[in-house]
Amino acid sequence: MHTTTMTRVTSLIGATLLGLTTLQASAAPEIPPIPAVQGDVVQAEGDFKIKFSIGTTQSGAQYRGLEYFEKIVEQRSDGHIQVELFHSAQLGDDLQAVSNLQSGTLEMTAPSTSPLVGMFPEFAVFDLPFLFPTPEVADTVLDGEIGQKMLDDASRQGLVAIGWAENGYRQLTNSATPVTSPDDLDGLKIRTMQNDIHLDIWRTLGANPTPMSFAELFTALEQGVVDGQENPWITIEASKFIEVQDYASETNHVYTPFITLVSERFWNRLPAGYQQLVRDAAKQMGDYEREVSRTLNDQIKQQLKQSGMQITELTPEQVEVFQEKLAPVYDDWRDEIGGELIDAIRKASQ
Ligand code: KDG
């Protein structure tokens, strides 16, 4: 092929590539900027270091929240508290990070509540399917009396629970088939969090669930150990599951919160002024993280579609089929979780 056509072809390819990247770039999610720090500098004795480690990746909404937390604490302590952030389970997955807090080798983490149900059975209420009809109802419950009591009750076993943030509504993905009804799940190997209610949910729907740490999930999907998994769109995108999952169904089947935990050993060393500062910063982090999570949720779903993931948006009738099939899960767990708590949360949804 002689040169002129060569250059024309290459410039053509160049142009298309440029077009694509700008499309991708133009589709880049608009993340709410990290807010300015509110509040005065807190005067207190001593210098401290906080290592704050999470299991989700650096490009997720949760890590943005941590960056805001770091900014608040360092500015309002006038540098006397230094914060170092870790992501992608660099300092251990949810359960390892929690035990590092108990032993005092790590100062803070913010896991999902689901893997902690073994330690805090009351958290199981959050794993009940279709419990929170909207994120706002979740906020009402978590920021209200119920949420505060749960934080107080979870401040034991060497931990201090100081706030909530949002992992979000979970969506099913898999590498085998589009899923529009429970019948399509027959025999599908689905990874769940290490949580008996989630195992019950996917067994009840007819799938073949396997509990597994989040840190092992991508490799298990890549190697076909499991066919599918379920997480919020932001986590699906940030964890690059599109590389190993072709299909997704917008099930919104469970709303998972993150809980902000501090090592009690570290907490007891902090002067009261700095304890209040860390508590305030955790609240502001949670509110900002929720804003990022909700702003990104639909944008990320569109971006996954643009990038080739086949997403099924279930009709209300199709969602109802899942809800009816999962109704027995409430009977299975009512006594263990406590009917009073379930009814109180359901009341908050009315
Ligand atoms: O640290 C990340 C975890 O909290 C993890 O639980 C995320 O939702 C998650 C999952 O599927 O494990």
Side-chain angles (χ1 to χ4, degrees):
M1 199 189 290
H2 61 76
T3 48
T4 47
T5 36
M6 272 296 281
T7 38
R8 203 172 316 116
V9 171
T10 37
S11 56
L12 199 59
I13 294 170
T16 16
L17 277 177
L18 180 61
L20 267 178
T21 41
T22 40
L23 172 66
Q24 291 302 17
S26 65
E30 293 126 34
I31 302 178
I34 292 183
V37 171
Q38 313 289 334
D40 306 331
V41 167
V42 174
Q43 305 298 341
E45 283 309 304
D47 292 302
F48 301 90
K49 169 109 186 258
I50 294 178
K51 296 190 298 305
F52 195 159
S53 177
I54 57 171
T56 53
T57 67
Q58 194 166 16
S59 58
Q62 191 181 23
Y63 193 79
R64 294 286 296 192
L66 266 69
E67 289 176 320
Y68 185 34
F69 175 88
E70 176 185 32
K71 187 179 171 187
I72 298 167
V73 169
E74 292 190 350
Q75 278 190 24
R76 294 197 57 207
S77 70
D78 200 16
H80 288 286
I81 305 178
Q82 288 300 310
V83 179
E84 194 177 358
L85 305 180
F86 299 86
H87 56 83
S88 309
Q90 286 169 312
L91 298 185
D93 65 20
D94 289 359
L95 295 174
Q96 288 153 352
V98 167
S99 92
N100 292 343
L101 261 63
Q102 293 172 310
S103 64
T105 56
L106 180 66
E107 287 73 33
M108 292 185 71
T109 188
S112 294
T113 49
S114 309
L116 305 188
V117 167
M119 290 174 71
F120 305 109
E122 64 273 27
F123 287 172
V125 70
F126 298 128
D127 299 304
L128 291 171
F130 305 103
L131 180 73
F132 292 122
T134 68
E136 289 69 29
V137 170
D139 296 351
T140 312
V141 169
L142 292 170
D143 298 345
E145 269 177 45
I146 294 173
Q148 189 51 55
K149 183 173 182 318
M150 286 183 131
L151 292 177
D152 298 344
D153 293 350
S155 296
R156 62 182 198 265
Q157 299 186 41
L159 303 168
V160 181
I162 63 170
W164 300 103
E166 174 167 283
N167 187 345
Y169 283 102
R170 309 179 75 86
Q171 321 298 350
L172 174 72
T173 67
N174 80 87
S175 56
T177 178
V179 173
T180 58
S181 89
D183 302 343
D184 301 327
L185 290 166
D186 190 24
L188 269 190
K189 290 178 290 182
I190 303 293
R191 174 268 176 182
T192 73
M193 289 183 278
Q194 298 132 311
N195 176 287
D196 292 342
I197 296 189
H198 283 256
L199 289 170
D200 191 2
I201 286 174
W202 292 98
R203 266 194 216 103
T204 304
L205 289 172
N208 170 5
T210 305
M212 184 187 295
S213 162
F214 185 70
E216 298 157 28
L217 179 51
F218 187 92
T219 311
L221 292 167
E222 194 175 38
Q223 296 171 349
V225 175
V226 289
D227 304 312
Q229 67 85 47
E230 38 82 61
N231 254 290
W233 294 124
I234 292 173
T235 303
I236 290 167
E237 195 276 331
S239 310
K240 308 235 173 311
F241 288 159
I242 193 167
E243 295 172 6
V244 287
Q245 300 276 270
D246 305 314
Y247 307 100
S249 301
E250 188 163 41
T251 47
N252 290 315
H253 55 278
V254 165
Y255 175 92
T256 306
F258 287 129
I259 183 166
T260 307
L261 300 171
V262 187
S263 161
E264 188 181 30
R265 292 181 188 208
F266 171 74
W267 186 257
N268 293 343
R269 292 209 313 277
L270 278 183
Y274 282 164
Q275 287 183 349
Q276 193 53 51
L277 167 55
V278 170
R279 212 181 268 286
D280 296 347
K283 173 78 177 97
Q284 289 156 4
M285 170 188 89
D287 293 346
Y288 169 60
E289 192 269 349
R290 285 170 178 167
E291 185 200 347
V292 173
S293 171
R294 288 162 204 183
T295 307
L296 290 183
N297 197 50
D298 281 347
Q299 290 181 37
I300 296 274
K301 183 176 79 176
Q302 297 315 325
Q303 198 181 319
L304 288 166
K305 265 191 198 164
Q306 276 167 17
S307 311
M309 187 174 251
Q310 190 178 326
I311 297 183
T312 303
E313 283 155 337
L314 301 175
T315 64
E317 295 70 31
Q318 288 170 326
V319 172
E320 220 170 293
V321 175
F322 280 89
Q323 290 173 325
E324 277 157 17
K325 186 125 190 193
L326 289 175
V329 173
Y330 277 78
D331 310 330
D332 300 348
W333 293 90
R334 186 173 175 80
D335 299 345
E336 187 150 343
I337 294 171
E340 219 181 297
L341 177 58
I342 297 172
D343 298 344
I345 291 180
R346 285 200 145 160
K347 194 155 167 290
S349 313
Q350 273 139 29

